[in-house]
């Protein structure tokens, strides 16, 4: 079946602009995760959704970052007033039920803020 | 929150066994330990998961001692294609803290 998909695959934006990153999880997966990976670094957890609710948003780096999930499926990560330090690969993952389940990752969105 | 610690890098040669140890001193009773592999420009992919003792699949083995404060991923007879970054993940289960603690990852380089 289809895996986790993310769009766009690449996004170049100017400092100060807003961007939206989209994640389509595997059908039927109730848990969805967003991570950020800067060049040569490990994975930084951002947020976790169980259904449409986010039990923990404290991984979001600042109030410029927000995420929502509707219909228990697609999720959007929004970064407002982008800064150069936001440049990174944003990875989305989904799992069947909860955070202890195996996560399946998408290919990521590479964000470059000029 | 179970924070994880791994070696930053390891070098090996084709055909050798590679063992990567991850420390997770604050692992909770219900936490499973999962290892992921990541190639450049790709998202991580699942390798193996375990709770205690030993788990083996077609790719790797996972050894977890009785106190569960560490785990060791064992890659038998590595090949050049096993060159990747390996992460251990110990999610926090229960409570309100769902931060997922990936380690910084171990870069494994396999040479001919």
């Amino acid at each position: 079946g289809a895996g986790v998909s993310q769009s766009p695959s690449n996004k170049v934006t100017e400092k100060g602009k807003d961007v939206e990153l989209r994640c389509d999880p595997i059908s039927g997966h109730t848990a969805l995760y967003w991570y950020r990976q800067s060049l040569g670094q490990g994975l930084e957890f951002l947020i976790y959704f169980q259904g449409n609710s986010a039990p923990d948003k404290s991984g979001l780096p600042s109030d410029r970052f927000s995420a929502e999930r509707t219909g228990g499926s697609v999720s959007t990560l929004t970064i407002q007033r982008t800064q150069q330090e936001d440049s990174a690969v944003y990875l989305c993952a989904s799992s069947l039920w909860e955070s202890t389940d195996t996560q399946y990752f998408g290919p990521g969105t590479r964000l470059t803020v000029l | 929150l179970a924070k994880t610690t791994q070696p930053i890098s390891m070098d090996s040669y084709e055909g050798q066994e590679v063992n990567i140890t991850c420390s997770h001193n604050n692992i909770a009773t219900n936490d499973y330990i999962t290892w992921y592999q990541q190639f450049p420009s790709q998202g991580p992919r699942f390798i193996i998961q375990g709770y205690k003792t030993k788990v083996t699949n077609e790719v790797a083995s996972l050894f977890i001692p009785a106190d569960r404060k560490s785990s060791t991923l064992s890659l038998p007879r590595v090949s050049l294609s096993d060159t990747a970054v390996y992460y251990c993940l110990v999610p926090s289960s229960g409570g309100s803290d769902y931060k997922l603690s990936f380690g910084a990852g171990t870069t494994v380089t396999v040479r001919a």
Side-chain angles (χ1 to χ4, degrees):
Chain A
V4 177
S5 62
Q6 294 185 244
S7 61
S9 55
N10 281 285
K11 177 71 176 178
V12 180
T13 191
E14 294 179 347
K15 178 181 173 182
K17 295 288 180 68
D18 297 351
V19 295
E20 283 190 354
L21 312 180
R22 176 187 169 106
C23 173
D24 282 271
I26 293 173
S27 177
H29 280 195
T30 63
L32 185 147
Y33 318 79
W34 283 99
Y35 296 89
R36 179 169 71 173
Q37 188 169 36
S38 300
L39 187 63
Q41 301 298 309
L43 282 80
E44 175 189 4
F45 169 77
L46 298 180
I47 190 169
Y48 156 61
F49 286 94
Q50 182 59 251
N52 289 335
S53 64
D56 183 9
K57 302 180 182 180
S58 60
L60 296 175
S62 75
D63 59 8
R64 297 186 294 104
F65 288 71
S66 62
E68 65 175 13
R69 188 180 185 196
T70 55
S73 182
V74 173
S75 176
T76 302
L77 177 68
T78 301
I79 309 173
Q80 295 179 311
R81 304 180 304 281
T82 53
Q83 303 294 313
Q84 288 184 332
E85 60 263 28
D86 299 334
S87 296
V89 175
Y90 289 82
L91 289 159
C92 174
S94 70
S95 66
L96 187 58
W97 289 114
E98 59 185 34
S99 62
T100 54
D101 293 332
T102 299
Q103 296 180 44
Y104 296 86
F105 283 81
T109 293
R110 181 175 298 279
L111 175 66
T112 303
V113 182
L114 302 177
Chain B
L1 174 65
K3 187 174 177 61
T4 58
T5 305
Q6 304 173 231
I8 294 175
S9 63
M10 298 183 74
D11 289 344
S12 184
Y13 291 91
E14 284 188 294
Q16 291 188 333
E17 179 181 85
V18 172
N19 296 304
I20 310 169
T21 296
C22 179
S23 297
H24 28 78
N25 292 321
N26 297 323
I27 190 169
T29 303
N30 295 330
D31 285 345
Y32 278 75
I33 301 149
T34 311
W35 284 80
Y36 291 83
Q37 175 191 55
Q38 186 178 28
F39 297 112
S41 302
Q42 295 184 23
R45 69 172 187 173
F46 171 86
I47 301 176
I48 197 167
Q49 183 182 69
Y51 182 79
K52 62 179 180 180
T53 63
K54 177 183 175 182
V55 178
T56 297
N57 62 22
E58 64 277 8
V59 176
S61 293
L62 180 59
F63 299 91
I64 305 168
D67 65 7
R68 304 200 330 117
K69 293 183 183 298
S70 67
S71 59
T72 298
L73 174 72
S74 180
L75 306 172
R77 298 178 298 283
V78 294
S79 63
L80 296 176
S81 62
D82 293 317
T83 294
V85 180
Y86 293 83
Y87 295 94
C88 71
L89 172 64
V90 181
S92 293
S93 57
S96 61
D97 186 353
Y98 282 89
K99 284 196 180 69
L100 299 174
S101 178
F102 271 87
T106 298
T107 300
V108 172
T109 304
V110 181
R111 307 180 193 282

